[in-house]
Amino acid sequence: MLREFRLPDLGEGLTESEILNWHVSVGDIVELNQVIADVETAKAVVELPSPYAGIVAQLHEPAGTVVEVGSPIVSFEVAVPAGADTGAPEAGAGPVSAKREPTLVGYGAVPDSGGRPARRRRGQAPAADPVPASVPAVVPADSAPAATPAPTPAPVHERPRSTPPVRKLARDMGVDLTQVQGSGPGGLVVRTDVVRAASPAAETMQTSAPDAAAAAPAPPPPAGREERTAISGMRKHTAAAMVASAFTAPHATVFLTVDVTPTMELLKRLRQQPAFEGLKLSPLTLAAKAVCLGLRRFPSLNSRWDESAREIVRYNYVNLGIAAATPRGLMVPNIKDAQTLSLHGLAAAVTALAQTARDGKTPPADLTGGTISISNVGVFGVDAGTPILNPGEAGILALGAVRRQPWEYEGAIALRSVMTLSLSFDHRLVDGEQGAGFLSDVGAVLADPALALAMA
């Protein structure tokens, strides 16, 4: 029996995903919940398991294609259990209620429905209605009226087959899809077709002779002066989130430069302890602890503005987001209930979180539910910046680079390790006094880590 697997909803409220690569080919034997493909959503890369055990009969979409949720992506030939009824439902029987099969990710294919109409290819004429058995096939010539030739129907120009992301890309790049020959299954227009059509050579081929004679196009720019890259799902999601945040929450930013020499000395001693072996210890580790402690005195930084309910939601827990630069773009996975972790626990969580993000294996659950974030821009040699809030959060702390500079220390000038902290906050939720007080508390812990004991 042939079973069709449609792209499931991955539980993120997203409408499309891109198939990065297939782990199976046509003819392969697969087991139930075996990983068959890597799928990139707007937030992460997810391994897609098989909802059936059987043989791969067809891959409906090639790697690199953006597929809408609910579209078929693969078909399986599965064995029919002995005694199973595979015939058509009896006449007059009501429609069989479809039940979605749970898998490791989302839901699998919906069982076939007896009343589902067959899908025809675009441009194909619908099948003629069957002639009832009681109607004779031949009409006597003497009773047949004179036949008049039927008018020739006008040709129907259907819209080329493509997905919504491809149509948007075509609009952005100024490509007429009616002039593009699709290279996907069944003539589907895919991204590569649009990008190819947008090149100067393709544009010249698409221009008709009369149009070219009327107005000659400007000569194409020299090769290599421009490069176009299709916007990935993750980049699109990041852009939408940043625009929504920048134009929704009124940002305010405060800065503080502190002497973090005691922090650097403490981290050096901790690296020599067996308990911290294998963990990455950096100022980010201690800053994460300082943020959790500072929120006790200034909980407004750990809140959310609920416009629809006209309420301020204050969190009694800390899901601490850590901004991570990955090959696929910016990601901000968060550490759940960070306020309950010790310094060792935070160090282990930050180390695991960063490695998972770089490998592209961050689960979707770790990318949602954050309450406040930290961005360590110092690793790029930057001293300070104005970080943009994650949507739904009231604060984000940026750590600058640690630099050895002349600094006043105990009444004299000494060479010390200095860092600049930048805090952006939502001014609807956080007043200037609260933002400045929170940043001062974080800076005080970094300047004297022993204060963490008093604030605990």
Side-chain angles (χ1 to χ4, degrees):
M1 177 183 295
L2 197 65
R3 291 287 189 178
E4 191 178 73
F5 178 38
R6 299 174 179 271
L7 181 67
D9 179 0
L10 300 177
E12 304 174 74
L14 303 176
T15 59
E16 63 185 25
S17 299
E18 179 179 353
I19 301 175
L20 292 183
N21 54 75
W22 286 102
H23 295 300
V24 295
S25 302
V26 175
D28 289 353
I29 300 175
V30 297
E31 301 293 334
L32 180 66
N33 287 330
Q34 175 182 334
V35 175
I36 58 174
D38 291 331
V39 178
E40 182 183 41
T41 69
K43 299 180 180 179
V45 176
V46 179
E47 293 180 339
L48 200 62
S50 171
Y52 304 112
I55 301 175
V56 179
Q58 181 182 0
L59 300 180
H60 296 279
E61 302 290 351
T65 305
V66 176
V67 183
E68 292 181 302
V69 170
S71 300
I73 57 175
V74 59
S75 294
F76 300 92
E77 188 69 36
V78 299
V80 181
D85 183 11
T86 59
E90 296 181 0
V96 180
S97 61
K99 179 181 179 182
R100 305 178 74 190
E101 300 292 337
T103 62
L104 291 180
V105 178
Y107 290 86
V110 177
D112 296 335
S113 173
R116 179 182 176 184
R119 183 177 181 179
R120 62 184 177 92
R121 188 181 301 276
R122 283 181 175 268
Q124 177 181 349
D129 294 336
V131 179
S134 60
V135 178
V138 180
V139 179
D142 54 357
S143 62
T148 58
T152 304
V156 179
H157 299 282
E158 296 192 5
R159 185 177 65 179
R161 293 183 58 209
S162 60
T163 60
V166 172
R167 292 196 289 272
K168 184 178 186 304
L169 177 64
R171 288 196 301 270
D172 295 341
M173 302 182 75
V175 174
D176 183 3
L177 286 179
T178 61
Q179 304 298 322
V180 178
Q181 182 67 34
S183 61
L188 181 71
V189 179
V190 296
R191 287 187 178 189
T192 54
D193 300 328
V194 175
V195 175
R196 189 183 306 114
S199 64
E203 290 177 1
T204 304
M205 294 177 60
Q206 292 178 19
T207 305
S208 60
D211 294 339
R225 288 179 63 84
E226 291 184 0
E227 180 179 350
R228 290 179 177 268
T229 304
I231 300 174
S232 66
M234 184 174 295
R235 175 58 58 186
K236 181 171 64 176
H237 175 78
T238 302
M242 293 299 98
V243 170
S245 175
F247 292 96
T248 301
H251 285 56
T253 307
V254 289
F255 303 88
L256 178 65
T257 303
V258 294
D259 177 5
V260 295
T261 305
T263 287
M264 304 307 293
E265 294 173 347
L266 173 62
L267 294 175
K268 182 179 179 180
R269 293 194 301 270
L270 291 177
R271 293 188 188 102
Q272 300 173 357
Q273 298 296 320
F276 288 88
E277 184 177 356
L279 299 180
K280 183 178 179 180
L281 290 172
S282 68
L284 173 62
T285 310
L286 200 55
K289 187 64 176 178
V291 166
C292 294
L293 295 174
L295 291 177
R296 295 181 180 181
R297 286 216 312 146
F298 300 97
S300 61
L301 271 297
N302 198 43
S303 60
R304 174 173 61 89
W305 183 277
D306 190 340
E307 183 68 31
S308 60
R310 298 183 179 274
E311 295 175 342
I312 294 176
V313 181
R314 180 168 295 177
Y315 303 108
N316 296 322
Y317 57 90
V318 180
N319 288 348
L320 183 60
I322 306 295
T326 72
R328 288 186 170 86
L330 174 67
M331 300 176 65
V332 191
N334 58 80
I335 303 170
K336 307 298 184 185
D337 294 313
Q339 82 284 355
T340 64
L341 301 178
S342 63
L343 188 63
H344 181 276
L346 284 172
V350 170
T351 302
L353 177 147
Q355 185 60 47
T356 304
R358 283 192 294 268
D359 293 342
K361 300 296 184 181
T362 303
D366 287 351
L367 295 170
T368 58
T371 62
I372 190 171
S373 298
I374 300 178
S375 178
N376 189 12
V377 298
V379 297
F380 306 111
V382 177
D383 293 326
T386 305
I388 297 180
L389 295 166
N390 275 331
E393 298 181 11
I396 179 171
L397 175 70
L399 307 180
V402 178
R403 302 191 183 278
R404 297 288 288 176
Q405 296 180 3
W407 194 262
E408 188 276 330
Y409 178 67
E410 294 183 351
I413 300 298
L415 196 62
R416 306 287 286 179
S417 296
V418 178
M419 171 192 286
T420 299
L421 307 175
S422 310
L423 175 70
S424 290
F425 54 88
D426 186 340
H427 223 324
R428 298 175 301 176
L429 295 161
V430 183
D431 295 334
E433 178 185 3
Q434 297 167 338
F438 173 78
L439 187 61
S440 295
D441 278 6
V442 173
V445 173
L446 296 178
D448 185 5
L451 288 178
L453 299 174
M455 297 173 63

